[in-house]
Every structure is written in structure tokens, then in C-alpha cells.
Amino acid sequence: MSDPELSYSRITHLPERPIQRLQRPLVAFTHIESASGIVLLLCTVIALIAANSSLAEAYAAFWNQELRLAAGDFELAYPLWYWVNDGLMPIFFFVIGLEIKRELVIGELSDPKKVVLPVAAALGGVAIPVGVYLALQGGQEGARGWAVPMATDIAFVVGCLSILGKRLPYGLTVLMLSLAIVDDLAAVLVIAMFYTASIKTTWLVAGAIGVLIVAIMNRLGIRDVWTYVLVGAFVWLCTLKSGIHPTVAGVVLGLMCPAMPWLGGPKFLGFLRHADETLRKEETSVAAAELMVANLAFASREAVSPLTRIERALHPWTAFAIMPVFALANAGVPVEIDDIGHPVGLAVAAGLFFGKSVGIFGASWLTVKLGWATRPAGVTWPMLAGAAFLGGIGFTMALFIASLGLSGELLVAAKIGVLLGSFFSAVVGMLILTAVTKKA
């Protein structure tokens, strides 16, 4: 097996492939924290311009065209925007499930001492906007949209925070990220409990069996990703047909993803040593060497948890493809002067702008004053106030919930309210944080 003239030189990095040089600018852009927010904002502007120009009719026709998938007598036929909301968005929610699992197992939410403040702030940022909305729309036709102003869009929030960079303490970004995770979990629960149509038991049971199969596969140590993709697609289909929104299935599957590696650090290093010794032996056959290399490739992959690998793989797609496409499909609202003053739009805007800021800041202040938690290092109350206003940017999730709960004129008004509330929340939040950091 070994060659006396073969020298084993230490290689500190793998040779660069030509494609990597071509990819480098794109990879660098996707690693800029504010990049996804920039792309999302650009797609929102494009959708608004298209919906309020001579292209409006063609733009609406494009998203309303029917896309069919058929096999024999079975078919799925929905408008293109429906495929985006019910087909692509479950992948986005799957990544949310991964993020929630990561934070609960190894992240900020795994430490009881650190979890109190973001949870309290998130709950305040959910309850008060809902209260504001119901105070304005309770008992009226638009009451079903009560959950629209409860969600924070973390892509835009991180984008705004990254503009100020190192002028802000890292603890403030961590707090807002943790808050958004709890916020997303609350939104998922609301969708599952309050925005579900009539349930078809047969499909629901079939979906539950699919989830059980995933759990069994985890226990058996099956690591092939495409096997999970196949079962996950089955769970998505069953959930879609059951009447429960398929985004719930996405979160459930994300929460089931293993957060720990199959081979931890010491085990992996031990196997590397064994592989090195085996491949150096003269008596090692070619077949044995090939088997060892195959096992080494498997061990290298499983030294990183499935959660981390899948999240890294999907995050660029959700941030730079799924969310922008969602914005193009849902933010194209024809804006009329009369629509801006619609009661539903005003209720949504008030919930985001006033409800979110008061809820996040008020719950944080009360929690700290009661001695249940402490502010992150370097985070002042004015900084927290500015961040609380940024929490009123509710774009992606707010538009999504609006599409579930409202329709027609009410949906248009709610979307306008989301855009207005998010815009003013971003402006006021950034003004406060800029003034505070300049003073500091």
C-alpha cells in the first residue's frame, strides 16, 4: 500500500478550485449581515412600483396564473402566489424551526439566566400590538387580522442594526435575535391554532405518521439527507391537504432535526488518528483503503450536527431567494390615497409602531425592575427603546399572517398598514439609535 518514496507533507488547506474564485464575490455579499435586508427591501420596492404602474395588470396576472402538478387522477393546481406562500414558505419556517432548536439547545435560550429578558420582551411585543389592534378593530369585519402586527421581521432588524455596526453593543443584537426567535415561535403557534380551516382527519393522521417515521429514522441513525427530504415532502403534502397550514409542518420538522453531531470532537479526532495509521500501513489493501476513505468522508460530515449543516445550506436560499420571492408575490399592493386611511390599515400600523415599541420596551423595563433579569452589558435604556421601535418592522411574517386571515379590500388595507407601520418603526428606531450612539 505504501510507497517508500511517498512523502507525507503537511497540508494546511485544500487547493482552491476555479469555481471558488468566481463565487467569492457572491459568497462575500451573502455573509454581510444587512445583505438579505437590502435584497428584501429592493424586491419590495420593485413589487410596489409594478403594482402601481402601467404594468399592474400584467404583474397581477403573472402571480395569479395557475401552476399544476399532476400524477394520474391526483393533481395540485394553485395560483403561483399560492405555491410561494404554501410551497416555499414552509422551507422558510423549517429554517425558523432549526433556529429555535439551536437556540434552545446550544444558544442564548439554553441559559435560564439569559432567557428571561428576551422571552419577556417578545411576549410584551406580541400582547400589546394585538391589544392595540383589537382596541381599534374588535367586533368589526377586520377583527380576524388581530395577529398581523405581532411579528418582527428579523432580516430588516439585523440590517438596520448592522448599519450602526460596532457603535452598538453586541448584547443588543443578541437580545433582538433571541427576541425574534421567541416571536416567531409565538407566530407559528398562532397560525396553528387560529388560522387553520376545517381539518381533514385522514390527511392529518397520514402527516402524523410521516412525522413518526422521521423520529424513527433519527433513532436508527439514518443520515441520508435525501431520505429525509422525501419523507418531509410527504409530510408537507399531507399537512397541506389536512387543512392545517403547511408552515406548521416546516417548523415541526425543523425542531426534530438533531442538534448534536453523530461524532463529537474526541471521537472524530480518534477516528482520524486510526484512519491515518491504517492508510500508512503497507499491508493495507486497496479495497480496505477505499473503505477507510469512504468512512472518513462520512465521519467528516457527521462531525458537524445535521442542524448546523442544513441551516448553513438553506439559510442563503431562504434569505436571498425565498423571502425576496415572497416579497415580490405579496408586497405588490396598489396604493390609493383612500386606502391609507382604511381602519384596518391604521390598526395594523398602530399595532406595529406603538404596540411593538411599548410592548418590547415596557416588558423589558418591568422585568429588569422586578429583578428577574438584567440588561446585556453596555445596553442602555435609550438603546433598548430604539431597538424596541425596530421590533415594529413586521414585514415578512406580518404579510404572511395577513394573507391567511384577510382577503379582498381588507387584505390590501392590512398590507398597506404593514408597509406604513414597518417604515415608520424603522425610521424612528434608527433615529433614536443614531442619536444615542453619537452621544455615547
Side-chain angles (χ1 to χ4, degrees), residues 302-327:
E302 296 305 327
V304 180
S305 72
L307 187 151
T308 300
R309 286 188 282 115
I310 296 174
E311 187 178 6
R312 286 176 179 172
L314 288 181
H315 187 270
W317 288 100
T318 57
F320 296 98
I322 293 176
M323 290 173 65
V325 169
F326 173 82

Side-chain angles (χ1 to χ4, degrees), residues 21-107:
R21 289 193 293 271
L22 299 175
Q23 290 176 329
R24 191 175 293 122
L26 178 61
V27 172
F29 176 75
T30 58
H31 281 78
I32 300 173
E33 287 184 329
S34 59
S36 61
I38 294 172
V39 174
L40 192 58
L41 178 60
L42 179 61
C43 290
T44 303
V45 172
I46 291 173
L48 284 170
I49 292 175
N52 292 275
S53 68
S54 58
L55 298 174
E57 187 174 342
Y59 191 78
F62 173 79
W63 291 109
N64 282 307
Q65 64 181 314
E66 187 177 75
L67 177 63
R68 296 175 64 253
L69 293 178
D73 295 331
F74 180 81
E75 74 168 6
L76 297 174
Y78 303 110
L80 188 55
W81 64 264
Y82 189 95
W83 282 103
V84 172
N85 290 1
D86 288 50
L88 291 182
M89 287 302 283
I91 301 175
F92 169 74
F93 277 82
F94 174 73
V95 174
I96 287 178
L98 295 177
E99 293 175 347
I100 293 173
K101 179 71 172 284
R102 169 171 47 79
E103 291 299 319
L104 289 173
V105 175
I106 58 176

Side-chain angles (χ1 to χ4, degrees), residues 139 151 155 165 169 172:
L172 184 64

Side-chain angles (χ1 to χ4, degrees), residues 18-327:
I19 188 65
Q20 289 177 298
R21 289 193 293 271
L22 299 175
Q23 290 176 329
R24 191 175 293 122
L26 178 61
V27 172
F29 176 75
T30 58
H31 281 78
I32 300 173
E33 287 184 329
S34 59
S36 61
I38 294 172
V39 174
L40 192 58
L41 178 60
L42 179 61
C43 290
T44 303
V45 172
I46 291 173
L48 284 170
I49 292 175
N52 292 275
S53 68
S54 58
L55 298 174
E57 187 174 342
Y59 191 78
F62 173 79
W63 291 109
N64 282 307
Q65 64 181 314
E66 187 177 75
L67 177 63
R68 296 175 64 253
L69 293 178
D73 295 331
F74 180 81
E75 74 168 6
L76 297 174
Y78 303 110
L80 188 55
W81 64 264
Y82 189 95
W83 282 103
V84 172
N85 290 1
D86 288 50
L88 291 182
M89 287 302 283
I91 301 175
F92 169 74
F93 277 82
F94 174 73
V95 174
I96 287 178
L98 295 177
E99 293 175 347
I100 293 173
K101 179 71 172 284
R102 169 171 47 79
E103 291 299 319
L104 289 173
V105 175
I106 58 176
E108 289 294 315
L109 301 182
S110 65
D111 187 346
K113 295 180 181 179
K114 296 181 180 180
V115 75
V116 177
L117 185 59
V119 168
L123 294 179
V126 167
I128 302 302
V130 171
V132 170
Y133 185 92
L134 290 177
L136 297 173
Q137 279 293 303
Q140 300 183 44
E141 191 179 4
R144 184 166 167 74
W146 59 270
V148 174
M150 63 176 282
T152 295
D153 192 302
I154 193 57
F156 277 129
V157 174
V158 170
C160 290
L161 293 176
S162 65
I163 292 174
L164 297 174
K166 295 182 179 180
R167 292 164 60 180
L168 293 175
Y170 178 68
L172 184 64
T173 301
V174 173
L175 173 62
M176 294 304 294
L177 288 171
S178 302
L179 178 154
I181 293 295
V182 179
D183 197 287
D184 287 340
L185 179 59
V188 170
L189 292 175
V190 165
I191 291 172
M193 292 187 293
F194 300 102
Y195 290 95
T196 295
S198 58
I199 296 177
K200 298 177 182 177
T201 307
T202 303
W203 283 105
L204 184 61
V205 171
I209 292 174
V211 171
L212 179 61
I213 291 173
V214 171
I216 294 173
M217 288 164 59
N218 279 339
R219 295 290 294 177
L220 293 176
I222 297 175
R223 316 300 280 183
D224 181 61
V225 172
W226 289 107
T227 304
Y228 285 94
V229 170
L230 182 63
V231 180
F234 172 76
V235 173
W236 168 82
L237 175 62
C238 292
T239 310
L240 176 70
K241 288 295 187 178
S242 72
I244 297 176
H245 202 276
T247 52
V248 177
V251 174
V252 170
L253 293 173
L255 290 172
M256 295 179 68
C257 189
M260 305 304 293
W262 187 260
L263 287 175
K267 291 182 179 179
F268 177 64
L269 292 175
F271 184 77
L272 280 180
R273 190 176 297 111
H274 168 66
D276 179 63
E277 293 171 353
T278 301
L279 293 174
R280 286 174 181 270
K281 291 179 181 178
E282 294 184 5
E283 58 270 23
T284 301
S285 65
V286 174
E290 291 176 348
L291 178 61
M292 179 58 68
V293 171
N295 289 335
L296 185 60
F298 175 82
S300 299
R301 185 176 73 248
E302 296 305 327
V304 180
S305 72
L307 187 151
T308 300
R309 286 188 282 115
I310 296 174
E311 187 178 6
R312 286 176 179 172
L314 288 181
H315 187 270
W317 288 100
T318 57
F320 296 98
I322 293 176
M323 290 173 65
V325 169
F326 173 82

